[in-house]
Amino acid sequence: MRGEHAGYACGAALGFLGDLIAADPRRGHPVAAFGRAAAAVERRLWRDHRGRGAAHAVLCAGGAAAGAALLERAVRHRRGARVALTAATVWAVLGGTSLGREARAVGGALEAGDLDVARERLPHLCGRDPEALDGPQMARAVVESVAENTSDAVVGALVWGAFGGVPGLVAFRAVNTLDAMVGHKSARYRRFGWAAARLDDVAGWPGSRLTAALTVLAGPGRRGALAAWRADGGAHPSPNAGPVEASFAGALGVRLGGTLAYGGRVEHRPVLNGAGRPPEVADIERAVRLSRRVSALALVATVAGRLTVGAVRHGIAGGRGTNGRKRR
């Protein structure tokens, strides 16, 4: 059992390093392949009905997790293969480096004053209507997206990996991908995507709280991050994006939230850290650096947590005899 937890720790660290070095490929990414498969299942199952949407979520996320569990079981007695499988899975499900790359691409265009290029790049990062945004509004959108996706693309996956190994990593990424595909409140997905959205809320809860806590620890404005999290984290319509975006806003000293255009509709969201200043282009780089620090701390925290649990379980097992009775 101790070897299993140590193997996961080694694999997670290697996968995290792989994401830093290689990031996501432009083509042939496993998550993109899952998305294509989920879209094919949707074409067969779609009806304007919650039950059909629930079946879609269970088939896609459950199927991906089951396949991962079979792979993990197949290599459970080969330590090297187990470490390699964990490393490959962590690399596949993490998106921190790609997140920073896309954020910096928009920031670079804004810094050069090229709003057309910035608008062209923004959809790679978030689903807002770029034509409705000026430079400062795009800077705000990027900072908010970096904050939210630090949880969704990095910390949440590491949390579920620590809990459930390779199946936990895959299940979290599958649920998160399904939410991005069908979990929004458009006419087509209001009912069909309901199950995926609720499942994502549940899966994202622990990662978002850890992200907010680590932002308080790693951010340049610790008191501001904690105060904004406490005051405004619950005001956001998303139970998981709220704590993360509020803590980032407080840590960076900026004001997030407010009116936005998303998916063909206008939303008026609560302001987060109202005492802060409007985001500027330079805050994009600050947000990316904060995201990197939070991600690294999340790796340390989740790996340490898994190793600690493994040591405690080993100690409890060692305190019992071979017949299950406690040693005296």
Side-chain angles (χ1 to χ4, degrees):
M1 184 63 71
R2 284 189 298 178
E4 176 185 340
H5 294 301
Y8 174 82
C10 183
L14 289 173
F16 188 90
L17 182 61
D19 179 65
L20 289 177
I21 296 172
D24 296 333
R26 299 292 186 183
R27 296 180 180 179
H29 196 281
V31 175
F34 169 80
R36 290 191 294 271
V41 175
E42 178 193 337
R43 287 193 291 272
R44 291 183 173 273
L45 283 181
W46 188 90
R47 295 289 187 279
D48 190 17
H49 189 272
R50 285 186 176 183
R52 287 295 189 112
H56 177 255
V58 170
L59 281 173
C60 294
L70 289 175
L71 280 175
E72 188 175 62
R73 183 177 178 82
V75 300
R76 68 186 185 279
H77 297 308
R78 292 180 288 168
R79 183 175 181 180
R82 192 169 66 241
V83 170
L85 176 62
T86 300
T89 306
V90 169
W91 168 80
V93 303
L94 295 190
T97 300
S98 294
L99 172 64
R101 180 177 62 196
E102 295 298 338
R104 283 170 170 151
V106 178
L110 290 175
E111 190 172 5
D114 195 335
L115 297 186
D116 289 337
V117 171
R119 292 190 179 104
E120 182 181 341
R121 299 289 306 198
L122 188 63
H124 293 266
L125 200 60
C126 63
R128 300 185 192 180
D129 180 8
E131 300 303 322
L133 304 179
D134 59 17
Q137 290 171 329
M138 280 191 278
R140 190 194 90 191
V142 172
V143 172
E144 290 174 351
S145 184
V146 168
E148 182 176 5
N149 283 292
T150 299
S151 177
D152 287 345
V154 184
V155 181
L158 292 173
V159 167
W160 282 102
F163 280 139
V166 169
L169 289 162
V170 171
F172 177 82
R173 177 53 60 227
V175 168
N176 192 250
T177 302
L178 289 175
D179 179 61
M181 293 176 65
V182 305
H184 37 89
K185 297 180 180 179
S186 64
R188 177 178 174 86
Y189 294 122
R190 187 176 298 275
R191 292 188 179 90
F192 185 85
W194 178 86
R198 298 291 79 76
L199 191 58
D200 184 68
D201 287 343
V202 173
W205 195 95
S208 67
R209 272 63 188 177
L210 179 59
T211 302
L214 294 177
T215 300
V216 173
L217 181 63
R222 294 182 179 180
R223 291 184 179 180
L226 182 59
W229 178 14
R230 288 177 172 174
D232 302 324
H236 196 283
S238 167
N240 296 326
V244 175
E245 290 186 19
S247 61
F248 259 70
L252 298 173
V254 299
R255 182 170 66 250
L256 300 179
T259 302
L260 57 86
Y262 181 86
R265 65 186 185 277
V266 176
E267 292 186 10
H268 301 283
R269 293 183 177 178
V271 172
L272 307 176
N273 192 40
R277 57 175 173 77
E280 302 171 351
V281 175
D283 293 314
I284 293 175
E285 180 62 28
R286 297 176 66 222
V288 170
R289 290 180 180 178
L290 176 57
S291 175
R292 285 286 186 90
R293 293 196 296 272
V294 169
S295 299
L297 287 173
L299 174 67
V300 173
T302 54
V303 166
R306 178 159 177 139
L307 290 174
T308 300
V309 170
V312 170
R313 287 179 177 175
H314 180 77
I316 292 174
R320 298 176 182 273
T322 56
N323 60 359
R325 295 176 182 174
K326 290 183 178 179
R327 294 176 180 172
R328 301 195 182 273

